[in-house]
Amino acid sequence: MTPRLSIMKFALFLGCVVLSTLAVASGNTLNSTLDEDWKNWKSEYEKQYTEDEESYRRMIWEDSMRYINQHNLEYSMGKHTFTVGMNQFGDLTNKEFNELMNGFRQDEADNSTEEEVDGEDDIEDDEEFEESDEDLKKATVDWRRKGWVTPVKNQGRCGSCWAFSATGAIEGQWAKRHGRLVSLSEQNLVDCDKRSHGCNGGWMSSAFRYVQENNGINSARTYPYEARDRNCRFRDDDIAATVKRHMRIRRNEKALARQVKKIGPLAVAINAGLPSFRLYRSGVYYDRRCGKRLNHAVLLVGFGRQRGRKYWLVKNSWGTSWGDKGYIKMAKDRRNNCGIANYALYPIV
């Protein structure tokens, strides 16, 4: 090939690249009618970007807005059982979001060992638990009403959902046994549970074992949350709760319903990887695409019905600006949607 021909081919290649770039840019033109909404959203969630980053984040945010509008239009037509809405995650791609916020380590959790519980067997409780399947179907449970659930917390930009799920379960059992609700320290777990990986993820049985082996956990007041990995600063002179052991629940929704009604709030893992979950606002969440690969840890605090639809009542750790004031109602008895019954456990305090 002659040098002249090579130069001509290279120039043609550059021209194609420029045209492709311009085509992409023209396809991602920002919607000026959303300028005020964008400004208000940045102010509400205290978002700050470099000049180069702002356009990119704005494009993602506008994609989220289009998704929200389309989904809610379809909801009004009866195609969905839940609504979505803009929140603090509107400027993240789904990949970024999952890497940042969903820190449940399923592979490591599956390789750990817990004692399995079948129905109501082996549960430490003073009351007899005899209930028919029909009674269970009609039941409504919300452990917030008993005062066994602390206010919604916020894990921030840290994959520590596993720690919040674990403390929530311990808080509930401690309140049940001792009559007082104490907010426990997720940071204590993030810093000190060396089986798990702090802000890079973990699992709840690891947290329970740490508290058991460490002879306790500090309160959130003593050891406040910082949303980052730090050195362990556990104080053994100010223990707020202890754990004797923990139990795992059999992998089906009937067993899960029996146990949450009998025991109290349970630590569970779910698949929270879809945009519909990231932007959930209200209603009973059901997405047929939601698989059973678990990536996020939450607290199951009850179950009930809304407009004839059965749901699990779930407390998340993404603050009150997400979802229904920090909660989500997830479809119950719909083939274990999002794998909610696949990894559920509770501590004995």
Side-chain angles (χ1 to χ4, degrees), residues 257-274:
R258 286 189 183 279
Q259 301 296 57
V260 72
K261 188 176 188 300
K262 174 70 171 178
I263 297 296
L266 305 176
V268 300
I270 58 173
N271 184 309
L274 295 175

Side-chain angles (χ1 to χ4, degrees), residues 5 20-21 87 94 111 121-122 138 148 162 188 196 231 233 278 283 307 319 348:
L5 186 57
S20 297
T21 304
N87 57 34
N94 223 48
N111 289 330
D121 295 342
D122 301 325
K138 296 176 181 177
W148 294 358
W162 58 276
N188 187 171
S196 287
N231 292 327
R233 292 156 289 153
R278 171 168 54 97
R307 298 178 182 175
I348 295 174

Side-chain angles (χ1 to χ4, degrees), residues 83-300:
T83 66
V84 292
M86 183 56 71
N87 57 34
Q88 67 268 40
F89 305 125
D91 62 343
L92 296 176
T93 67
N94 223 48
K95 184 175 185 294
E96 290 171 333
F97 172 79
N98 281 304
E99 290 175 351
L100 180 66
M101 302 302 296
N102 291 333
F104 177 72
R105 297 283 191 106
Q106 179 174 351
D107 292 340
E108 293 177 66
D110 287 343
N111 289 330
S112 64
T113 57
E114 296 90 17
E115 184 177 359
E116 279 215 350
V117 178
D118 182 1
E120 62 269 22
D121 295 342
D122 301 325
I123 300 172
E124 291 190 354
D125 201 296
D126 296 331
E127 300 174 4
E128 291 296 322
F129 188 65
E130 295 293 338
E131 184 173 37
S132 69
D133 289 346
E134 194 60 34
D135 289 337
L136 194 63
K137 288 177 183 178
K138 296 176 181 177
T140 297
V141 176
D142 184 348
W143 290 116
R144 295 175 300 182
R145 297 172 184 168
K146 272 276 195 178
W148 294 358
V149 182
T150 55
V152 171
K153 302 179 183 181
N154 193 339
Q155 69 189 69
R157 298 175 73 87
C158 169
S160 54
C161 57
W162 58 276
F164 286 83
S165 176
T167 57
I170 301 171
E171 289 164 352
Q173 292 307 298
W174 197 257
K176 179 181 181 181
R177 183 167 290 275
H178 297 283
R180 64 182 186 276
L181 183 64
V182 180
S183 181
L184 300 177
S185 174
E186 293 79 23
Q187 193 68 41
N188 187 171
L189 297 175
V190 167
D191 294 342
C192 306
D193 176 11
K194 299 307 180 184
R195 292 187 187 89
S196 287
H197 311 280
C199 284
N200 291 315
W203 66 103
M204 295 81 88
S205 65
S206 174
F208 294 148
R209 283 203 300 273
Y210 162 78
V211 177
Q212 178 183 347
E213 294 167 0
N214 194 57
N215 297 317
I217 183 173
N218 290 153
S219 69
R221 176 187 55 80
T222 297
Y223 201 150
Y225 187 64
E226 299 180 59
R228 61 193 178 109
D229 295 315
R230 297 284 306 276
N231 292 327
C232 183
R233 292 156 289 153
F234 171 75
R235 287 179 50 183
D236 59 9
D237 63 337
D238 193 9
I239 291 173
T242 58
V243 169
K244 296 178 182 177
R245 67 184 194 276
H246 61 279
M247 311 286 275
R248 185 162 172 175
I249 297 165
R250 293 182 68 187
R251 297 184 179 192
N252 67 73
E253 290 189 82
K254 184 185 291 185
L256 189 61
R258 286 189 183 279
Q259 301 296 57
V260 72
K261 188 176 188 300
K262 174 70 171 178
I263 297 296
L266 305 176
V268 300
I270 58 173
N271 184 309
L274 295 175
S276 56
F277 194 98
R278 171 168 54 97
L279 298 169
Y280 167 84
R281 175 61 56 82
S282 66
V284 178
Y285 179 80
Y286 174 78
D287 193 322
R288 60 181 177 77
R289 300 169 300 166
C290 194
K292 296 177 177 60
R293 179 66 186 174
L294 310 177
N295 60 11
H296 185 52
V298 290
L299 186 69
L300 178 61

